[in-house]
Amino acid sequence: MITSTAAKVKVDPRDAKLSMAHFFVAFSALALGGLMGLLQTLVRSGKWELPWGIDYYQILTVHGVLMGLVLTTFFIMGFQYAAVSRTTGGHSSAARRAGWIGFWVMLVGTLMAATMVLLKEASVLYTFYAPLKAHWIFYLGLTFVIVGSWIDGAAQIMTYARWRKNNPGQPSPLLSFMAVINTVMWIVATLGVAATVLFQLLPWSLGLVDTVDVLVSRTLFWYFGHPLVYFWLLPAYMCWYAIIPKIIGGKIFSDSLARLSFILFLLFSIPVGFHHQLTEPGIDPAWKFFQVILTFMVVIPSLMTAFSLFATFERYGRSKGATGLFGWFRVLPWGDARFIVPFIGMAAFIPAGAGGIINASNQMDQVVHNTIWITGHFHLTAATSVVLTFFGISYWLVPHLTGRRLTKAMNKLAIIQAWVWFIGMVFMSGSMHIQGLLGGPRRSAFSTYGGSEQAAEWIPYQIAQAVGGTILFLGIILVLIIFVNLAFFAPKGEEEFPVAEAENPEEKAPMVFENWKLWLGITAALILFAYTIPFIDIIQNAPPGSKGFQTWSKW
Amino acid sequence: MAKTVLKTNQKTEMEDRSSLKGTLASVFFLGIFIIVTWVSVYYLFVDRF
Ligand code: HEM
Ligand SMILES: [Cu+2]
């Protein structure tokens, strides 16, 4: 009874409009960024060259910025905004106004940065490492994106706070709680990148100062850069923990376990940025090692998630009468795109996670650092686990928001889409991993490196990447067809926004999980502990600052 | 005789419903996969450095 009424709960149409606005930007970024990805693999195969003086590092910047920053941030903000609306009963008009302001500020910032990249004023890749120097409008645009995301995220926090006030002593709805954890983590993390952009890169690109402290700016970037990847991942986990069980007809294995794992992600995602700087001189190895230990703490909530998903599936399967060790696996709803598309994402997280543990293993990082293995790794994490889950979400969320239905034909096309993606990624990411182990560098156009023997070994793998990239691009075309269909052409109707219930609803989540003073306090303490001393050391023993460099060809 | 058969049937079914044996096997598989990949790259590391 409760379930059947809950199924009818709709996101308020005014909130739906704002979510859809985010999705239009996100899927436009996917279209353009996907084309760049294809071109990159073609260039790297050595069989094709970019026309009209377009430069490899320019399209690589476009790809990284659009896929890594624009697609993700806009999709996540749109999804979380809808999830909070759905589970709290809707946003207030003040929160909605904040959401719209945030959206527009982010969009203006995106357009400013994009214009500079297209004018070849900012081929600095999506990490914009100093001493590569972009036009100041690029950095100002990024500032707008960050500030806009804070305002946008404030909408979710406002609505969450109102719900808490109206329901004293009650644990908040799981999806809202998760969305707010992710937004809070994002705000704490972006303080670092905002600091380097505002205090270092903007004054430097404006010519107010001549030099920049490279290590300080890279350290502030990676203080942000690691939680960035968890900011991408947690919305996928929201779907896996709290939505997928409903889609398959099962229950959440444990509501408290889900909340605890999100809190652990908040605590341990931030004080670990040094694991991206393990080969970097100028940072005390003892502090690198300490952050490596904290990095391994993140393995705990990841494995908790794996356990709880397996358990949800097994419980459901056995309730359907499945027997034996793995009988439950067979009765899962393999014909339902809302399930299988994110499921392929989950499966990809197994090799992705294993690769991540290798990357983080202090000394072993030397085997893979700055090789194309890394690119292979995050095309499994971000470009498969995360985006396939995002696609799977949009296949029901877009029609839910536009008052349409996911038809049988589109459901089938969506399943094909996910398999095409999977096959393309096996080729592309697989060959990137191997080429990386053979020493092939990332962020590199085609080169024979002066006829080197070792570089010749890499070429077959680069050709395999082009094959995979072509298949993946077909996958992107399918996603776009489905998205446009669901947004504009699918038949009118009702599509459910699935929200799962816990297996034991009488077991209320402990209220300590909602104690923000406590969790933010521990987060701050861990960050201060992990960063204060090494950061003082970095500043006190800094080499002379560097002037700016522009290594790329200009128009 | 017939009674005993019925009893065993019921018992297995009860056990099966709440069992998380498959989950245990799956997380073991996951752990082994992680260790095997890690060790293979570890040997590559030892070989090279
Ligand atoms: C058609 C699908 C895709 C193809 C063919 C593709 C291809 C590539 C290639 C070849 C590179 C590395 C080039 C190099 O290091 O020189 C790359 C980098 C990258 N890709 Fe993709 N990719 C695709 C989809 C995605 C998606 C969906 C995401 C994110 C959600 C993504 C995020 C990134 C990022 C962040 C980089 C790093 C850029 C950099 O190093 O500055 N890609 N991609
Ligand atoms: Cu990281």
Side-chain angles (χ1 to χ4, degrees):
Chain A
M1 190 57 213
I2 292 172
T3 344
S4 64
T5 34
K8 298 247 158 49
V9 178
K10 299 272 293 179
V11 171
D12 184 307
R14 289 164 298 177
D15 296 336
K17 221 164 131 191
L18 178 52
S19 277
M20 282 305 294
H22 284 88
F23 292 164
F24 285 123
V25 179
F27 283 86
S28 308
L30 177 72
L32 200 59
L35 179 62
M36 299 304 128
L38 171 65
L39 299 183
Q40 284 150 223
T41 58
L42 295 180
V43 169
R44 286 170 50 83
S45 76
K47 308 273 180 219
W48 187 78
E49 277 174 27
L50 286 165
W52 312 309
I54 301 173
D55 173 84
Y56 181 80
Y57 300 96
Q58 186 185 13
I59 66 168
L60 186 56
T61 305
V62 175
H63 179 76
V65 170
L66 285 182
M67 295 298 215
L69 304 177
V70 179
L71 161 70
T72 47
T73 308
F74 276 86
F75 185 90
I76 291 166
M77 286 295 164
F79 167 56
Q80 292 188 167
Y81 184 80
V84 171
S85 172
R86 163 71 172 79
T87 51
T88 58
H91 293 281
S92 66
S93 53
R96 200 171 296 126
R97 193 166 334 113
W100 276 109
I101 295 172
F103 169 80
W104 282 110
V105 174
M106 287 205 300
L107 187 57
V108 168
T110 303
L111 294 175
M112 287 164 67
T115 308
M116 289 303 115
V117 177
L118 293 180
L119 293 175
K120 283 200 184 181
E121 292 292 339
S123 298
V124 292
L125 308 186
Y126 86 113
T127 44
F128 47 91
Y129 279 157
L132 288 180
K133 187 157 105 180
H135 196 284
W136 59 270
I137 294 179
F138 176 80
Y139 299 116
L140 191 64
L142 293 179
T143 311
F144 273 53
V145 174
I146 296 165
V147 173
S149 73
W150 291 343
I151 305 172
D152 208 344
Q156 298 161 36
I157 297 177
M158 284 159 75
T159 303
Y160 165 83
R162 196 192 50 172
W163 192 96
R164 287 286 312 283
K165 217 173 119 205
N166 294 340
N167 300 271
Q170 291 282 100
S172 55
L174 181 57
L175 276 172
S176 288
F177 176 81
M178 293 169 143
V180 170
I181 289 261
N182 201 27
T183 300
V184 166
M185 183 183 78
W186 172 254
I187 292 171
V188 177
T190 41
L191 291 173
V193 71
T196 177
V197 170
L198 283 182
F199 299 125
Q200 294 189 282
L201 303 179
L202 258 180
W204 175 59
S205 61
L206 281 165
L208 301 178
V209 294
D210 292 332
T211 62
V212 65
D213 185 323
V214 172
L215 187 54
V216 167
S217 82
R218 287 166 67 109
T219 303
L220 287 171
F221 180 85
W222 283 115
Y223 163 90
F224 152 80
H226 185 78
L228 169 69
V229 310
Y230 278 95
F231 173 69
W232 302 338
L233 190 61
L234 290 190
Y237 277 21
M238 285 166 68
C239 171
W240 299 356
Y241 268 117
I243 290 172
I244 290 283
K246 171 76 178 180
I247 290 174
I248 66 174
K251 297 272 164 142
I252 299 172
F253 179 71
S254 162
D255 176 282
S256 301
L257 180 145
R259 287 177 204 252
L260 177 62
S261 89
F262 267 60
I263 286 174
L264 292 176
F265 280 121
L266 170 66
L267 301 185
F268 294 115
S269 289
I270 304 170
V272 297
F274 284 169
H275 71 218
H276 292 269
Q277 300 175 283
L278 290 175
T279 62
E280 205 144 305
I283 304 173
D284 186 336
W287 286 101
K288 287 181 182 171
F289 186 67
F290 178 69
Q291 292 207 7
V292 163
I293 296 173
L294 289 178
T295 303
F296 275 82
M297 298 296 284
V298 186
V299 175
I300 297 169
S302 307
L303 292 181
M304 279 163 63
T305 304
F307 163 77
S308 136
L309 295 173
F310 284 129
T312 299
F313 295 152
E314 182 166 15
R315 282 283 165 106
Y316 165 74
R318 292 197 185 275
S319 78
K320 291 280 146 207
T323 53
L325 203 52
F326 292 114
W328 46 275
F329 193 72
R330 251 173 284 133
V331 302
L332 293 171
W334 298 110
D336 187 342
R338 301 172 308 159
F339 166 71
I340 183 169
V341 180
F343 182 87
I344 295 177
M346 292 177 198
F349 211 67
I350 296 175
I357 295 176
I358 292 167
N359 301 341
S361 298
N362 210 345
Q363 297 86 336
M364 272 158 71
D365 180 50
Q366 292 171 71
V367 179
V368 295
H369 186 75
N370 268 348
T371 69
I372 195 93
W373 156 289
I374 301 296
T375 317
H377 164 71
F378 63 69
H379 280 79
L380 286 182
T381 54
T384 307
S385 295
V386 169
V387 299
L388 276 186
T389 304
F390 289 0
F391 297 160
I393 290 170
S394 55
Y395 296 156
W396 51 261
L397 183 53
V398 170
H400 176 92
L401 297 175
T402 56
R404 295 174 191 277
R405 262 184 319 110
L406 175 67
T407 56
K408 277 222 165 65
M410 280 300 137
N411 181 66
K412 201 160 174 191
L413 196 60
I415 296 176
I416 296 173
Q417 181 273 314
W419 282 114
V420 168
W421 196 278
F422 174 81
I423 295 166
M425 202 51 89
V426 168
F427 276 94
M428 189 174 92
S429 174
S431 51
M432 282 174 165
H433 276 94
I434 303 173
Q435 188 192 344
L437 291 178
L438 297 173
R442 70 179 283 209
R443 293 183 155 177
S444 168
F446 181 79
S447 171
T448 58
Y449 296 90
S452 127
E453 228 176 85
Q454 190 184 9
E457 272 180 33
W458 302 332
I459 292 174
Y461 296 101
Q462 289 168 191
I463 291 174
Q465 287 158 37
V467 173
T470 309
I471 301 173
L472 278 165
F473 187 67
L474 283 178
I476 287 188
I477 293 174
L478 293 181
V479 179
L480 294 172
I481 291 173
I482 302 168
F483 176 75
V484 169
N485 176 278
L486 295 175
F488 298 112
F489 301 110
K492 296 268 178 199
E494 293 234 333
E495 188 70 44
E496 179 194 1
F497 187 135
V499 177
E501 286 164 28
E503 201 174 299
N504 303 306
E506 67 286 355
E507 255 176 42
K508 284 235 154 64
M511 285 310 288
V512 62
F513 288 162
E514 316 257 352
N515 186 341
W516 291 95
K517 280 196 195 112
L518 176 66
W519 304 121
L520 283 174
I522 301 179
T523 305
L526 281 170
I527 292 170
L528 289 176
F529 190 55
Y531 271 112
T532 309
I533 296 173
F535 205 68
I536 291 173
D537 182 44
I538 288 169
I539 292 173
Q540 278 183 339
N541 298 306
S546 173
K547 65 180 185 55
F549 290 88
Q550 303 204 325
T551 51
W552 60 91
S553 71
K554 295 285 197 130
W555 282 124
Chain B
M1 185 67 193
K3 213 177 161 191
T4 5
V5 173
L6 194 67
K7 231 180 170 177
T8 9
N9 266 352
Q10 204 165 4
K11 195 170 162 233
T12 348
E13 206 195 279
M14 291 290 289
E15 215 172 73
D16 242 40
R17 286 223 152 190
S18 61
S19 150
L20 285 175
K21 275 185 295 190
T23 301
L24 183 68
S26 306
V27 293
F28 266 117
F29 166 78
L30 180 61
I32 291 167
F33 178 80
I34 291 173
I35 291 167
V36 167
T37 32
W38 192 91
V39 168
S40 24
V41 177
Y42 177 72
Y43 274 102
L44 212 52
F45 167 74
V46 171
D47 234 38
R48 284 184 190 171
F49 293 93

